[in-house]
Amino acid sequence: MSAPAKPTCFQELILTLQDYWAAQGCLILQPFDMEMGAGTFHTATTLRALGPKPWYAAYAQPCRRPGDGRYGENPMRLQHYYQFQAILKPSPPDILERYLGSLEAIGIDTGLHDIRFVEDDWESPTLGAWGLGWEVWCDGSEISQFTYFQQVGGIEVDVVAGEITYGLERLAMYLFDKRSIFELPYNRADSDVPLTYGDVFLQNEREQSAYNFEHADTDMLFRHFADAEKECQALVGKKLPLPAYEQCIRASHAFNLLDARGVISVTERQSFILRVRDLAKACCEAWLVTQKAPALSAAAGAA
Amino acid sequence: MAEFLLELLSEEIPARMQARAADDLKRLVCDGLKAAGLSFADARAFATPRRLALVVDGLPAARADVSEEKRGPRIGAPDQAVQGFLKGAGLSSLDQAEKRDTGKGEFWFAVVTRKGGPTAAALPGIVDAALKALPWPKSMKWGSGTMTWVRPLQSVVALFDGRVLAGEVAPGGAMAPLPFGDTTRGHRVLSRGAIKVADFADYTAKLEAAHVVLDPAERRKIILEGAERLCAAAQVALKVDEGLLDEVAGLVEWPVPLIGTIDPAFMDVPPEVLVVSMKTHQRYFATARSDGQLANRFVVVANTVARDGGATIVDGNERVLRARLSDAKFFWDQDRKVRLEDRLPALKNVVFHAKLGTQAERVARIAKLAVEIAGHVPGADRGLVEQAALLCKADLATGMVGEFPELQGTIGRYYALSEELPAAVAEAIGDHYAPAGPNDRCPSGPVSIAVALADKLEALVSFWSIGEKPTGSRDPFALRRAALGVIRIVVENKLRLPLRRFFEAEDLLAFFAERLKVQMREKGVRHDVVDAVLALGGEDDLVRLLARVEALQSFLGGEAGRNLLTAYGRAANIVRAEEKKDKALAARLAGTPDAALLEQAEEKAVAAALADVERALKPALAAEDFSAAMAAFARLRPPIDAFFDKVTVNVTDKPELRLNRLKLLNQIRATMDSVADFSKIEG
């Protein structure tokens, strides 16, 4: 098979990464259907990073960071953007070579470019998670984050997952030499209807920024936070970690919106983060119980 | 004699940890060798981003038997202790041990003979122990293993005398062990496949061929020389930055310096901003023009030899820098549309500390304090001080400081200058965080001094008031640095600042005294001299305090001082001994002795000399001429010596005489103690 041509637009970048990681044995999952601040929140990462079972998966995940909205006026910042995430558990010994292979696949020729692994430890206070790794630089530009998870939900992992996160817009700007996200070609220039990233998302950035900063109903969001928190705790009590975790994600997003609206003081902020962390921790603990029990098929005697 | 070569290949090791790790590896292996009775000629350790390597020369091929004694528990000790001893010594019963009297009782002893043998047999255990003990600042697990290392360990070269040692590193869990071997890998991109090595010379040569420079010093040299060549060709001068050189040498295995250009559109942005963008964010070296100003060229060190000679890499790095600087330029242009003064309301929304309110409240406190301090700073105009203090934190609300927090203060200064505020105000805004450390510059302009002092004193007083005092290991608000900053500003500008006027807490003054002691110790001042001056208590004028310390140190350094100290000691010892016997005595010793009761010529001479000294002391102390005060003491020496030769203090039959003589001795002590507490001086 001839090598696939290198991507020329945003969607080909995603397709190429999907193909590449599928060939590495990863499941190609679809985005999680809830608002989240980073691809790490997907159950395919947060929950699957825990427990002894092997897990290889990759997916694109839309991320929302309400506070990063700039009404579409900053060429490098968005409140809604995409991450591509690959998670390999247990981390294979050649994971860095595989990662470098993905760079070649998307058209970064290591014979021409300078790739560096620069120390960068990762921590998510809301998920109670941390890991060690690097940010990966290509000619001085950060193009990925690489993390070996050590702890999730306050629990030390049994088996270490290697997590690779590509910030897709930033990577695409680098690959396609654009100074503004909105100028990125979303599909191929020779398409019937060639569109830019701005054609697809600029209006969304404007409207969502207005919502995030000006119109989000804060009383309602405080209620949503409290409701999600309560529901999450109740579901953990009923040993249903997956629906419980969705409520945790909901609470986290409500908090992010409230934070963007500027109605949470610095001291309160810390306590909200701790409340979300407590939820995440409870969900992770409940999930872990299900992972350490024998799998259904094994229980049926197939062990 | 044989050579031992060890290489630990891993994924990329953080630059800041490499040098220390190489040292630790060397230390641990060398300690292991010594403990095993293996002598060697030399050991050298190296680090690159992907490997730690160690070579030990001059090891013997085998070692002799080593006999070792182990002391056990006392004879008759509980069985548990005896069993522990036997187990530790590898004995099966006490019959194999012997009793020995150590002079402190009878103990069990075991004589254990450790068999010698081939060095190759001892090395794997030493390597294993060193790997387990190596203290990485942060370490991690990987895969399904249980071992921790800084990043995943990939292979181990362990060769003794050209032969692979029998051994392995077991990552644990379900992971396959990494057997000791003789193969490594070269540069991540420029080299493919395994490299077989025979010994250290072969190893370094083959690594070099595989685009890895093993020795960090060598990489540093390549970077420096290459960068200087590029700069010379571009007619600029490299701004050498040692810390950055070390860091960059730890980011590359095959350094290739390249020179890039800063888009001229950004050259009107303050140079500090350009430098932070280049150095801190991108690890580039800045360059200077012949007039010393920042030049629009930078040096980036790549870790690869590119097919196109680096053109793509330079272009990419220029692009990244352009993106960063266009942010900076945007802020530089936008921020200056709003006056610093008009940013003050925004500080009400910035919380300084949950218990200490907002930045706006803190600024109000700083301004009030700065104006009070201004009264003690010659030449400080109160109006300017207040203006500068009110504006000193305004840049925290600017976009530029949001993006470049490390430039707080510096940015405020630029904006103040562009608003054409008085130069002293702009400088004070720029200076008020200084000094940030022992090597940082210290503010010297009167307005700057007042604001910089107020910033630090306010922080100290505020954090003290909510009980956030630094502890041995924790100082999250950098209060030690603040106190040292106050000390430096006061001392270096010779300010007569009564510190106590600005706070109440007794232990805060003690905190300053403690910092001062640390600082003076570093400058080589005797700690007992400092203690002697501090013991006077209540001194909050640091300049006067230091003048006393200096005078005392130089007095004690001379013959006269040392002799007088002996005399002081004798006088003080006698008085102290008598005070101990009679608790009521102390109260009766105060004041001058009764002249009528002075019988012997020697005691009269001491009294006269004391009166003499006191007459000289008063004006000297008033003029803060402590050297003169100390010099006056020197006159006491001959009469005191004569006194101790001829006069008996404790005359048992004449209590009034005894008391009077004790008073005289006490007066010697009191007079000298008025300058420093000489009892604190150690011989």
Side-chain angles (χ1 to χ4, degrees), chain A residues 91 96-97 109-114 116 119 121 133-134 137 139-140 148 150 157 160 174 177 179 267, chain B residues 11-12 14 16 138 140-141 143 151-152 188 281-283 301-303 306-308 312-313 317 319 322 354:
Chain A
S91 61
L96 285 192
E97 281 74 23
D109 178 351
T110 51
L112 284 176
H113 295 276
D114 179 30
R116 303 274 194 86
E119 177 191 14
D121 301 337
W134 311 271
W137 288 10
D139 302 339
Y148 287 104
Q150 303 292 302
V157 299
V160 175
Y174 189 78
D177 194 14
R179 293 190 187 191
T267 20
Chain B
E11 293 177 5
E12 276 71 358
R16 66 187 172 95
K138 272 182 176 176
M140 52 166 274
K141 301 193 298 179
R151 291 293 184 275
R188 200 180 263 297
H281 298 160
Q282 298 295 137
R283 276 80 155 182
V301 182
N303 184 33
R307 276 200 312 277
D308 63 354
T312 307
I313 296 171
N317 279 286
R319 265 202 283 162
R322 200 180 303 131

Side-chain angles (χ1 to χ4, degrees), chain B residues 5 10 63 220 258 310 459 502 556 616 654:
Chain B
L5 171 65
S10 70
R63 62 190 166 138
R220 214 172 177 278
L258 299 166
F502 304 101
L556 291 174
K654 294 179 185 162

Side-chain angles (χ1 to χ4, degrees), chain A residues 30-181:
Chain A
Q30 301 307 316
F32 203 80
D33 60 340
M34 292 179 71
E35 304 100 325
M36 49 183 58
T40 310
F41 276 80
H42 197 306
T43 52
T45 296
T46 301
L47 296 184
R48 296 283 179 174
L50 288 165
K53 296 178 189 169
W55 178 254
Y56 275 28
Y59 54 91
Q61 177 65 46
C63 304
R64 294 188 184 225
R65 296 200 179 161
D68 282 353
R70 293 293 182 271
Y71 296 82
E73 285 168 14
N74 183 321
M76 316 195 38
R77 271 211 172 156
L78 301 169
Q79 54 82 46
H80 173 280
Y81 66 100
Y82 288 89
Q83 287 182 342
F84 189 90
Q85 181 118 341
I87 175 162
L88 285 80
K89 171 191 161 196
S91 61
D94 61 347
I95 189 167
L96 285 192
E97 281 74 23
R98 295 189 196 211
Y99 167 73
L100 290 171
S102 78
L103 297 187
E104 294 281 350
I106 60 175
I108 296 179
D109 178 351
T110 51
L112 284 176
H113 295 276
D114 179 30
I115 307 295
R116 303 274 194 86
F117 294 88
V118 180
E119 177 191 14
D120 189 35
D121 301 337
W122 172 83
E123 187 184 15
S124 167
T126 42
L127 286 177
W130 70 271
L132 300 189
W134 311 271
E135 42 180 61
V136 185
W137 288 10
C138 175
D139 302 339
S141 180
E142 183 195 334
I143 53 167
S144 311
Q145 283 280 339
F146 197 114
T147 305
Y148 287 104
F149 281 147
Q150 303 292 302
Q151 210 178 69
V152 178
I155 304 164
E156 193 180 330
V157 299
D158 290 303
V159 172
V160 175
E163 181 212 44
I164 298 160
T165 304
Y166 307 79
L168 289 174
E169 286 81 357
R170 173 139 19 159
L171 186 55
M173 285 171 80
Y174 189 78
L175 290 175
F176 310 136
D177 194 14
K178 296 293 180 201
R179 293 190 187 191
S180 162
I181 293 167

Side-chain angles (χ1 to χ4, degrees), chain B residues 13-38:
Chain B
I13 307 167
R16 66 187 172 95
M17 301 178 187
Q18 292 165 17
R20 172 77 197 276
D23 285 349
D24 284 336
L25 181 66
K26 184 167 109 175
R27 172 179 56 81
L28 289 164
V29 171
C30 290
D31 288 353
L33 292 171
K34 284 175 204 151
L38 286 165

